[in-house]
Amino acid sequence: MIQSNYIKLFTTLVYNTYFDNGKCNCLHFVPNHKTEKILRKFGFKINKISNGFDLFSNTTSSLSSLFDYISKTTTQNYFEFDIKCSDPNFILYSALPINWLGEITFSSQDNQNQDNNGVIALNPTLETKAMAPYFGCFKIYFDDILKNQNTTPLQFEISFKARTTQWQYYFINKNSIPLNNPAITEKGAIQFEGPQQVTLQTGEKALLFTSNNTNIQLSEKPKYKFDLINKSPPNQSGQTSSNNKVIIKGLPIPDVSRMIVENGKENQVASPMYIYI
């Protein structure tokens, strides 16, 4: 690509708070058949980047003249990209309806998009489809590119939030380790309730701790470090001792592929974790 002949029309970037750096590199934008023909015939170039893509144009005429000509000869006044997802767990760790099946669509003409000086936050529309061929699609209309030409660079952003779930720790005490006053260490406002004696489907007895009504955000890398401890009893003055014995240092974080929807709680998604001690 001879850089001096090309002008950047726009950039599309994808973010998800699940990832440590916020950048989501598992969504891939592929021009559909008609758009692919337009790109090849009229000298457009796609530059793929880690969490999105840039689109460049190579034209000696004005961009408005080029788009007008394309619209008249192809009867299409937009670019359309299918969005493919390379991570099967994306819907699980992202804050999307847990039982939803369908396709997410984005459009540069959606009146719910938010424009911040040429950085356009795209509004997602969830369409229900039993057999969606792709994760989603994105339409960028020529008029929206033209009206933002004075903004450098025009940038579209797709942002997802990480799912939050109730964390559940099940401790199966196979080695009869003394647990006199077990507890899970607190982190800020996050406090675990328990223990509760439960029987698993395997028939094994377990001690259950849950974050109860506090949902904790899932993340690619651990953001919280919890320990299983034996809390020391208060001293003679009734003050809580800080001399707690650590039973397990650094409890695991949830496996995003293992989630359950709590019975009777439509929106309560839980992350169970089973730990043998």
Side-chain angles (χ1 to χ4, degrees), residues 139-151:
K139 285 185 180 180
I140 309 99
Y141 286 82
F142 299 160
D143 285 347
D144 295 312
I145 297 173
L146 291 173
K147 75 181 182 182
N148 286 281
Q149 275 302 290
N150 293 328
T151 304

Side-chain angles (χ1 to χ4, degrees), residues 34-90:
K34 196 167 183 178
T35 295
E36 175 64 28
K37 289 177 66 175
I38 291 172
L39 296 179
R40 281 192 279 106
K41 183 175 181 179
F42 296 99
F44 295 95
K45 294 289 185 181
I46 295 175
N47 177 40
K48 295 182 180 179
I49 52 182
S50 64
N51 61 321
F53 72 99
D54 302 318
L55 185 67
F56 292 84
S57 170
N58 181 22
T59 179
T60 55
S61 63
S62 70
L63 199 57
S64 58
S65 298
L66 174 63
F67 282 154
D68 184 61
Y69 181 74
I70 294 174
S71 299
K72 289 177 179 177
T73 56
T74 67
T75 67
Q76 179 165 303
N77 64 342
Y78 55 84
F79 299 114
E80 184 171 3
F81 294 84
D82 296 319
I83 305 174
K84 295 183 177 181
C85 182
S86 58
D87 188 345
N89 290 324
F90 184 89

Side-chain angles (χ1 to χ4, degrees), residues 13-27 49-52 87 90 93 155 157-160 220:
L13 299 173
V14 186
Y15 297 97
N16 192 323
T17 58
Y18 174 78
F19 298 104
D20 192 45
N21 63 2
K23 294 181 178 180
C24 175
N25 59 13
C26 56
L27 296 187
I49 52 182
S50 64
N51 61 321
D87 188 345
F90 184 89
Y93 60 68
Q155 184 169 302
E157 291 189 356
I158 295 172
S159 297
F160 295 91
E220 180 187 27

Side-chain angles (χ1 to χ4, degrees), residues 82-254:
D82 296 319
I83 305 174
K84 295 183 177 181
C85 182
S86 58
D87 188 345
N89 290 324
F90 184 89
I91 291 179
L92 296 177
Y93 60 68
S94 301
L96 296 168
I98 191 66
N99 293 320
W100 170 75
L101 290 175
E103 186 177 74
I104 303 178
T105 63
F106 302 91
S107 170
S108 65
Q109 291 195 341
D110 190 324
N111 58 17
Q112 294 188 57
N113 293 340
Q114 296 183 358
D115 188 345
N116 183 17
N117 295 323
V119 178
I120 301 172
L122 295 169
N123 176 63
T125 299
L126 274 62
E127 298 184 359
T128 301
K129 293 182 180 180
M131 296 291 290
Y134 298 102
F135 175 84
C137 73
F138 176 30
K139 285 185 180 180
I140 309 99
Y141 286 82
F142 299 160
D143 285 347
D144 295 312
I145 297 173
L146 291 173
K147 75 181 182 182
N148 286 281
Q149 275 302 290
N150 293 328
T151 304
T152 306
L154 172 62
Q155 184 169 302
F156 296 104
E157 291 189 356
I158 295 172
S159 297
F160 295 91
K161 291 184 178 181
R163 187 183 300 281
T164 61
T165 66
Q166 180 195 74
W167 289 19
Q168 301 176 341
Y169 284 107
Y170 292 87
F171 295 99
I172 302 97
N173 194 354
K174 299 288 281 187
N175 294 306
S176 301
I177 293 174
L179 297 174
N180 303 319
N181 190 18
I184 293 179
T185 51
E186 301 175 7
K187 297 294 179 184
I190 302 175
Q191 299 182 22
F192 282 82
E193 291 197 355
Q196 176 186 354
Q197 186 81 38
V198 297
T199 302
L200 305 179
Q201 290 183 339
T202 59
E204 296 172 297
K205 302 292 183 181
L207 293 178
L208 169 63
F209 291 87
T210 78
S211 62
N212 197 24
N213 293 324
T214 301
N215 287 344
I216 305 174
Q217 181 176 300
L218 301 175
S219 58
E220 180 187 27
K221 296 180 180 178
K223 291 186 176 180
Y224 304 99
K225 183 181 178 182
F226 300 109
D227 302 327
L228 177 66
I229 61 174
N230 257 337
K231 294 183 71 173
S232 299
N235 58 27
Q236 292 180 348
S237 303
Q239 295 178 329
T240 302
S241 172
S242 59
N243 189 26
N244 300 317
K245 182 180 179 181
V246 177
I247 306 300
I248 300 177
K249 187 174 182 63
L251 294 174
I253 63 172

